Amino acid sequence: MEKFYITTAIAYASGKPHIGNTYEIVLADAIARYKRLKGFDVYFQTGTDEHGEKIEEKAKANGQTPQEFVDNISREIKRIWDVMNTSYDKFVRTTDEHHKKIVQQIFQKLYDQGDIYLDQYEGSYCTPCESFWTENQLVDGKCPDCGREVKKRSEESYFFRMSKYQDRLIEYIESHPEFIQPEARKNEMINNFLKPGLQDLCVSRTSFDWGVRVPFNDKHIVYVWIDALSNYITNIGYDIVGGNENFQKWWPADLHLVGKDIIRFHTIYWPILLMALDLPLPKQVFGHPWLLMNNDKMSKSKGNIMYADDLVSIFGVDAIRYYLLHEIPFQSDGTISYELIIERINSDLANVLGNLVNRTISMAKKYFEGKIENKNILEEVDSSYIEIVNSLEERVEKRMMKLEIGAALDEIFDTLRASNKYIDDTMPWSLAKEETKKERLETVLYNLLESIRVCAVFLKPFLPDTSEEIFRQLQIQDSSFTFNQDHKYCVMDPTPIFMRIDSSKKLAEIAANKED
Ligand code: MSP
């Protein structure tokens, strides 16, 4: 069986993740579930990034030890990943003893082989980003990544010889066009960061305590990005003598899914670190866009934060999964609001999917007490309809290969729309009026049930609960990807899967709850 190792970025254990931070785990989950559906042996890893000055400061402000603080937040992040029904195989934490031990071994190895050296650092430091910047990297004197104030700092630091690997990396990126995706991100990395020349990277800190200690100099803490990036190998069995069988099986990762803001760390620092460790590079790093709130960054200070668990309790988990997976374009940022969520639920989940499943099962019950077989009384309209259903596998695969998840969902929903149109074209209610059309009516309902089944198979990765519910109502197990002629359906009484929402009523309800 072909293996597929997929990761998300590990989230900072600095606060409760908002819906934007939750997008990535849902996206990764849809991809992981899809690969499992297609028969891959999948390993899906996520987790929390728990060290650093910012977390140390937050814990202090909270009157907790850093360990107590991250234990709480990490538990909360895991809870939210579970609320979103994500099927990760492993939830890692950078405070795990094993991870810390291997990070120390990595640091030691790089030092022993001369890739890391001790020097003096002077520069401007951004605490939230845990990054040093030179004067000409600053934008209006502020951090180029987050726009916040920087502090002047001078300290003794270890440095990593980035420039030594620069040409090798450029050559690698240029000869592996699939490595950085989407394409625009690749050009950005090459032109903005690699071509101008890499500076050696400061890879230790002495100004705080909360982190992995440099094994041969305990004044120093390993730079949080070296600590964090290593999670992708420390948790699958890497060690400096080459790693165990599990490591040989899973590495290199097939896909690192990360947000656009941290693609630089994953396509420059991480590959160089791997080259220095003499390890193969991940096959692909995909930088996804962000989810914004009314086209603005979500933040507590702006008061425009939405949380996944609140949204799920209002709309249900699959409605939110659908929104995230469908509405965030592949390259440009997406936006979210209550109005937009309701609009999408009504137009797609209720009108197209819910309505189709409900109408079809109701008719099967009403006209045949739920028992439907294929009577094969075919008409012209059937063949093009069945062709649409049979082409779904290929259409979805094409989109998923490029990680165009929203477009893959559109392929499924276009097929559901074709089913609704098939009902309008064949008019089962008028066939039901004529005794001689009974077998034609049963054929029409068979075609509809079987098309719904195929769509439900492809909905599994995206809307797992909904797919399961459709299978339950159809009372069938078959998960094959194409139209089967020989099932014997015996469907249950229909239960609506998505209902239309009265937008103004719901919005008023949400506003009233907020005031409580
Ligand atoms: N801890 C680092 C990652 C280390 S990976 C070795 C980090 N953590 S984070 O919590 O700030 O972000 C986690 C992921 O969420 C990142 O990939 C980031 O891009 C993503 N997102 C943060 N805000 C987001 C949105 N508003 N929308 C979509 N993704 C967002 O970075």
Side-chain angles (χ1 to χ4, degrees):
M1 223 195 289
E2 202 177 332
K3 68 96 186 169
F4 189 78
Y5 175 22
I6 176 171
T7 68
T8 66
I10 48 172
Y12 283 129
S14 52
K16 178 174 173 174
H18 55 61
I19 189 69
N21 300 122
T22 312
Y23 168 58
E24 188 170 299
I25 185 76
V26 174
L27 186 63
D29 182 61
I31 298 165
R33 286 180 187 265
Y34 179 74
K35 288 289 179 185
R36 288 193 200 108
L37 182 71
K38 295 309 285 281
F40 284 74
D41 185 9
V42 173
Y43 177 67
F44 171 16
Q45 184 172 287
T46 185
T48 40
D49 185 356
E50 307 188 4
H51 291 129
E53 187 169 12
K54 187 171 148 195
I55 288 177
E56 191 179 77
E57 283 174 359
K58 281 208 163 180
K60 203 163 164 203
N62 240 25
Q64 288 175 303
T65 65
Q67 190 65 53
E68 282 166 350
F69 180 80
V70 295
D71 282 350
N72 265 334
I73 305 276
S74 177
R75 196 177 314 118
E76 180 66 0
I77 292 176
K78 189 165 188 284
R79 187 184 69 79
I80 293 195
W81 283 193
D82 291 338
V83 165
M84 293 314 295
N85 195 10
T86 57
S87 62
Y88 53 84
D89 296 294
K90 177 136 178 144
F91 189 97
V92 304
R93 300 184 55 187
T94 54
T95 51
D96 282 346
E97 287 307 320
H98 178 74
H99 168 80
K100 290 194 285 187
K101 191 179 101 194
I102 305 289
V103 169
Q104 287 187 319
Q105 285 183 4
I106 291 173
F107 205 90
Q108 180 84 55
K109 180 179 160 94
L110 297 175
Y111 181 72
D112 291 345
Q113 70 190 32
D115 280 322
I116 285 179
Y117 61 92
L118 190 63
D119 204 350
Q120 194 68 23
Y121 196 94
E122 280 174 32
S124 301
Y125 188 70
C126 174
T127 308
C129 295
E130 318 252 5
S131 295
F132 268 112
W133 302 104
T134 59
E135 282 314 305
N136 49 18
Q137 283 174 316
L138 299 178
V139 177
D140 299 331
K142 302 214 167 106
C143 171
D145 267 2
C146 72
R148 280 177 273 208
E149 296 291 339
V150 289
K151 296 184 213 161
K152 277 265 177 275
R153 262 203 196 171
S154 165
E155 60 183 55
E156 179 191 87
S157 275
Y158 286 96
F159 287 83
F160 187 103
R161 292 186 207 282
M162 286 278 145
S163 45
K164 179 174 154 191
Y165 295 94
Q166 171 177 318
D167 292 343
R168 229 173 107 190
L169 181 59
I170 295 179
E171 196 192 305
Y172 185 88
I173 295 175
E174 282 178 343
S175 59
H176 293 80
E178 72 298 339
F179 177 56
I180 307 179
Q181 284 295 321
E183 176 91 17
R185 309 249 182 249
K186 172 183 124 185
N187 302 335
E188 194 184 316
M189 288 305 122
I190 296 214
N191 298 333
N192 299 0
F193 294 100
L194 284 165
K195 289 264 161 83
L198 288 177
Q199 296 186 352
D200 287 356
L201 179 69
C202 172
V203 288
S204 76
R205 303 284 186 269
T206 49
S207 54
F208 62 93
D209 275 332
W210 183 239
V212 178
R213 270 185 205 285
V214 169
F216 45 87
N217 184 346
D218 68 6
K219 275 199 320 216
H220 288 254
I221 297 290
V222 175
Y223 176 40
V224 74
W225 273 100
I226 301 261
D227 172 1
L229 288 162
S230 306
N231 94 85
Y232 301 130
I233 55 174
T234 59
N235 284 285
I236 56 168
Y238 174 73
D239 57 41
I240 48 156
V241 285
N244 63 17
E245 231 173 76
N246 196 57
F247 181 71
Q248 303 305 334
K249 171 175 176 184
W250 294 108
W251 193 257
D254 295 85
L255 178 61
H256 288 319
L257 205 58
V258 300
K260 58 178 186 177
D261 57 323
I262 58 170
I263 194 143
R264 179 165 53 94
F265 296 92
H266 285 81
T267 58
I268 297 178
Y269 300 167
W270 181 227
I272 286 183
L273 196 68
L274 289 166
M275 282 176 178
L277 294 172
D278 206 15
L279 290 175
L281 305 195
K283 293 191 192 141
Q284 186 166 89
V285 177
F286 185 86
H288 63 73
W290 269 33
L291 179 61
L292 306 174
M293 184 77 167
N294 297 322
N295 295 317
D296 202 357
K297 231 175 160 168
M298 272 181 230
S299 81
K300 258 198 196 143
S301 53
K302 288 185 192 138
N304 65 354
I305 286 202
M306 279 180 163
Y307 293 105
D309 49 349
D310 295 339
L311 290 171
V312 166
S313 67
I314 304 172
F315 299 108
V317 61
D318 278 357
I320 299 306
R321 285 178 65 107
Y322 183 79
Y323 190 86
L324 294 177
L325 294 170
H326 185 251
E327 291 307 298
I328 301 171
F330 157 78
Q331 301 217 56
S332 48
D333 291 336
T335 188
I336 189 166
S337 68
Y338 293 113
E339 287 84 346
L340 289 171
I341 298 172
I342 296 171
E343 214 176 285
R344 202 38 82 214
I345 291 176
N346 285 344
S347 67
D348 296 5
L349 298 177
N351 278 7
V352 177
L353 174 62
N355 190 21
L356 170 71
V357 174
N358 200 262
R359 278 208 291 176
T360 305
I361 296 185
S362 302
M363 288 190 287
K365 270 281 166 197
K366 181 170 169 195
Y367 303 133
F368 297 96
E369 289 166 355
K371 294 190 180 62
I372 305 280
E373 283 180 31
N374 188 2
K375 290 288 191 289
N376 257 314
I377 308 296
L378 296 174
E379 289 190 4
E380 214 180 304
V381 58
D382 298 11
S383 59
S384 59
Y385 173 52
I386 293 173
E387 227 166 82
I388 292 176
V389 177
N390 277 334
S391 68
L392 185 57
E393 180 185 4
E394 196 190 317
R395 287 186 282 128
V396 171
E397 175 72 12
K398 232 184 185 159
R399 302 299 195 172
M400 291 303 284
M401 289 287 288
K402 294 198 209 141
L403 302 181
E404 294 171 357
I405 314 294
L409 269 168
D410 279 339
E411 298 291 354
I412 304 170
F413 275 74
D414 283 348
T415 311
L416 297 166
R417 279 184 200 98
S419 292
N420 278 323
K421 181 168 182 303
Y422 181 74
I423 298 182
D424 296 341
D425 290 345
T426 53
M427 296 190 290
W429 51 90
S430 70
L431 295 173
K433 288 185 190 138
E434 295 174 54
E435 194 52 38
T436 56
K437 296 281 170 66
K438 205 142 190 228
E439 293 209 329
R440 170 63 187 154
L441 174 62
E442 195 171 342
T443 305
V444 165
L445 291 178
Y446 183 88
N447 290 345
L448 284 166
L449 288 172
E450 187 50 17
S451 311
I452 291 173
R453 182 194 67 75
V454 173
C455 288
V457 171
F458 287 102
L459 281 176
K460 275 183 190 194
F462 313 100
L463 312 179
D465 286 352
T466 303
S467 167
E468 206 180 304
E469 176 59 18
I470 296 172
F471 273 99
R472 193 185 68 84
Q473 295 193 28
L474 293 179
Q475 299 232 65
I476 196 138
Q477 303 285 338
D478 180 17
S479 284
S480 58
F481 301 140
T482 49
F483 196 97
N484 183 310
Q485 303 284 353
D486 305 315
H487 283 314
K488 290 187 177 26
Y489 278 98
C490 178
V491 301
M492 299 186 69
D493 280 333
T495 319
I497 45 177
F498 286 105
M499 309 277 267
R500 272 192 74 80
I501 296 173
D502 180 330
S503 186
S504 43
K505 224 167 111 187
K506 193 72 170 183
L507 291 172
E509 226 177 270
I510 294 168
N513 278 341
K514 267 197 183 157
E515 279 162 21
D516 284 350

